[in-house]
Amino acid sequence: MGWPSGYGRRVLAEVDSTNAEAARLAPGLVGPEWILGLRQTAARGRRGRGWVMPAGNFAATLVVRLDEPPDRVALRSFVAALALYDGLEAVTGTAAGLALKWPNDVLMNHGKVAGILLEGLGQGALAVGIGVNLVAAPEAAEVESGAVLPVSVLAETGVRVTPEALLEALAVAWASHEERLVTYGFGPIREAWLARAARLGEEITARTGRETLTGTFETVDEAGRLVLKTPKGRVAIAAADVFF
């Protein structure tokens, strides 16, 4: 497979969180860098939620510096999701059961196997944090009510994957999709993401913090927004938690 040219890599036996480490390292980095934490002591998910990480699971952050508007930078959540999909297919030998859940989760057999967290670090630096349940998943009681239940790669496929093996597959896939985004724009990334989307054409619920909207998941638009067909018309949503 081979490590992608131009990307740094560091593997840490223990860290508070790979996104926190990314923030500390970002000012001194001259190129994109992957940071893998084999143990995290203060992991976080979206909206500041805790992220449970048993030993053997995957936690990594890519630090990249991008001279782009914020809305363009945010499209890296789609790049990360596609890279995770391809990476998991590479290390397990199958894409069966894999699907992408807007805005930034990866599903396996209808359960959440991975999550993505993007954080701006200032001075054009972006942290792309990725957590994957390789060998164990949190208990149902540990997740938000109504959320997709967590699953692990090992339980769903019977394949035991090391964090280091997934990192290499993920880094290769990221480099490929990132090059496609830079070269051809969001169009091909959007099409690839929609081809792997969970519940496309079905009824879903989106909670934005201000309101809850239920409608048919029609598409993701050219800005990466979720488009719902609701009784009040079509609505484009920039940020929300999605429930099935």
Side-chain angles (χ1 to χ4, degrees), residues 19 22-23 26 63-64 73 117-128:
N19 269 30
V63 188
V64 289
V73 170
L117 176 64
L118 269 60
E119 290 186 325
L121 303 177
Q123 298 181 327
L126 175 71
V128 183

Side-chain angles (χ1 to χ4, degrees), residues 43-51 144 241:
R44 289 178 296 110
R46 290 183 69 235
R47 302 178 189 263
R49 301 180 185 122
W51 179 277
E144 184 180 3
D241 287 328

Side-chain angles (χ1 to χ4, degrees), residues 1 29 56 80 103 115 119 130 144 160 169 189 192 200 207 231 236 243:
M1 187 178 294
L29 295 177
E119 290 186 325
I130 295 172
E144 184 180 3
R160 184 174 290 274
I189 296 295
L200 188 63
R207 296 178 188 164
F243 298 85

Side-chain angles (χ1 to χ4, degrees), residues 33-68:
E33 182 106 2
W34 282 97
I35 303 162
L36 176 67
L38 300 180
R39 181 172 182 269
Q40 283 195 130
T41 59
R44 289 178 296 110
R46 290 183 69 235
R47 302 178 189 263
R49 301 180 185 122
W51 179 277
V52 180
M53 188 194 163
N57 278 1
F58 181 90
T61 298
L62 172 65
V63 188
V64 289
R65 202 170 298 281
L66 301 167
D67 184 17
E68 298 176 354

Side-chain angles (χ1 to χ4, degrees), residues 59-195:
T61 298
L62 172 65
V63 188
V64 289
R65 202 170 298 281
L66 301 167
D67 184 17
E68 298 176 354
D71 57 344
R72 170 85 174 185
V73 170
L75 298 178
R76 266 57 184 199
S77 65
F78 294 91
V79 174
L82 288 171
L84 260 175
Y85 186 103
D86 291 353
L88 287 168
E89 180 181 5
V91 295
T92 63
T94 180
L98 286 174
L100 303 179
K101 176 176 176 284
W102 190 93
N104 46 19
D105 290 341
V106 180
L107 307 183
M108 180 176 280
N109 298 335
H110 310 293
K112 178 176 175 177
V113 74
I116 300 160
L117 176 64
L118 269 60
E119 290 186 325
L121 303 177
Q123 298 181 327
L126 175 71
V128 183
I130 295 172
V132 185
N133 301 324
L134 287 180
V135 299
E139 297 295 329
E142 297 179 53
V143 302
E144 184 180 3
S145 176
V148 175
L149 294 180
V151 298
S152 73
V153 172
L154 180 60
E156 297 302 313
T157 68
V159 179
R160 184 174 290 274
V161 178
T162 66
E164 293 90 343
L166 179 57
L167 178 65
E168 184 160 326
L170 176 61
V172 169
W174 168 280
S176 175
H177 289 296
E178 171 69 8
E179 183 177 10
R180 190 191 310 182
L181 175 68
V182 171
T183 304
Y184 301 108
F186 184 53
I189 296 295
R190 173 177 171 269
E191 290 177 12
W193 191 96
L194 285 169

